Amino acid sequence: MLTRELMMGLFPKSSQFMNDYLPSLQHVAQQRQITTPRRIAAFLSQVGHECGGFTVLVENLNYSAGGLAATWGSRFAEKNAAGAYITVMEGGRSRRVPNSDAQKLHRQPEAIANRVYSNRLGNGDEASGDGWRYRGRGLIQMTGKSNYQQCSLGLFGDERLLTTPQLLEQWRWAVESAGWYWSTRNLNALADGDDFERVTRAINGGLNGHAQRVALYEQALNLMSQTSAG
């Protein structure tokens, strides 16, 4: 069921990479028992959202000051005396006002990664460089030293991803790491149920982009249903 036609229907912009990723994707789907319509649709919608429709394998942290304020408001947006965000209207939309930290980090992706991912996910402090070293990679945007370590042990039986995290920017390992993550968190069981929101929370930690994930999920089910009926 995980065919070239299905991937083209869902992610047409990935056509230039399809020969690179599709064999690995088909292998991992079998290996991780992602073989029913619900499981396939859930997996593709989630990882497809995370990796820009099978086109992006490393996290883009080239945020503007305004982007930082919008994404990490608690760190990078101005607040008033009551603790509420200060906003301005731009282009008919309300936007948070960036603080001085956001201004300093404007369009500095490495510094941004080292700031926002420091002292969490197994990373060291800002000066360690772990935030940038272990930024999001692979189909599922694996992030943080501890996740890289666990994934490395799961895929290779050693810790090579700690010294060569760029392996997750190769299509094979980008796909394999997503399969590992999916399997170790028992997401097939969630996909078998009717609560797709729980799948999103398991992947994202919240509900960022949930509506887009749902749309992809429903599109995938529809495309597989049409193929089956044909």
Side-chain angles (χ1 to χ4, degrees):
M1 285 187 287
L2 217 166
T3 62
R4 180 178 295 269
E5 290 71 27
L6 175 62
M7 298 306 294
M8 279 299 297
L10 290 171
F11 309 112
K13 292 181 180 178
S14 75
S15 59
Q16 62 182 310
F17 307 117
M18 200 166 296
N19 289 337
D20 297 315
Y21 75 71
L22 188 57
S24 293
L25 192 64
Q26 291 169 330
H27 168 74
V28 165
Q30 289 295 323
Q31 178 189 39
R32 304 295 184 177
Q33 299 181 321
I34 306 169
T35 50
T36 68
R38 278 183 181 272
R39 292 179 181 185
I40 291 170
F43 182 76
L44 292 181
S45 62
Q46 293 293 342
V47 302
H49 181 83
E50 293 290 325
C51 69
F54 287 78
T55 63
V56 177
L57 297 184
V58 62
E59 184 178 13
N60 178 10
L61 286 144
N62 189 27
Y63 287 93
S64 66
L68 288 170
T71 306
W72 288 287
S74 62
R75 293 170 177 260
F76 298 117
E78 290 281 6
K79 296 180 181 179
N80 60 25
Y85 291 122
I86 299 172
T87 60
V88 295
M89 292 300 294
E90 291 182 5
R93 296 181 61 184
S94 176
R95 300 187 184 277
R96 296 171 184 169
V97 175
N99 63 17
S100 59
D101 275 352
Q103 301 289 355
K104 292 174 186 175
L105 292 172
H106 175 83
R107 300 296 184 194
Q108 296 187 59
E110 184 169 353
I112 289 169
N114 287 332
R115 174 73 63 85
V116 301
Y117 292 139
S118 64
N119 298 309
R120 54 190 291 254
L121 302 170
N123 292 341
D125 61 17
E126 194 171 343
S128 72
D130 284 350
W132 178 249
R133 187 175 300 112
Y134 304 116
R135 65 193 184 278
R137 288 188 179 90
L139 293 190
I140 217 156
Q141 295 291 285
M142 194 75 63
T143 308
K145 186 176 183 178
S146 59
N147 281 327
Y148 273 73
Q149 181 183 42
Q150 292 167 21
C151 181
S152 191
L153 291 170
L155 294 183
F156 305 110
D158 58 38
E159 296 186 345
R160 71 186 68 180
L161 287 180
L162 295 185
T163 54
T164 53
Q166 299 84 0
L167 283 173
L168 296 189
E169 295 176 44
Q170 298 176 13
W171 279 109
R172 177 183 176 184
W173 302 118
V175 175
E176 293 265 10
S177 62
W180 169 85
Y181 189 95
W182 187 267
S183 179
T184 56
R185 281 142 181 88
N186 200 27
L187 295 184
N188 278 335
L190 289 184
D192 290 342
D194 293 320
D195 191 353
F196 186 69
E197 181 177 306
R198 289 183 65 195
V199 183
T200 297
R201 289 187 184 279
I203 295 290
N204 178 256
L207 291 174
N208 293 332
H210 182 61
Q212 294 90 337
R213 297 169 201 257
V214 169
L216 275 171
Y217 175 73
E218 293 175 346
Q219 185 185 2
L221 285 176
N222 185 50
L223 287 170
M224 284 186 282
S225 175
Q226 290 176 7
T227 301
S228 176

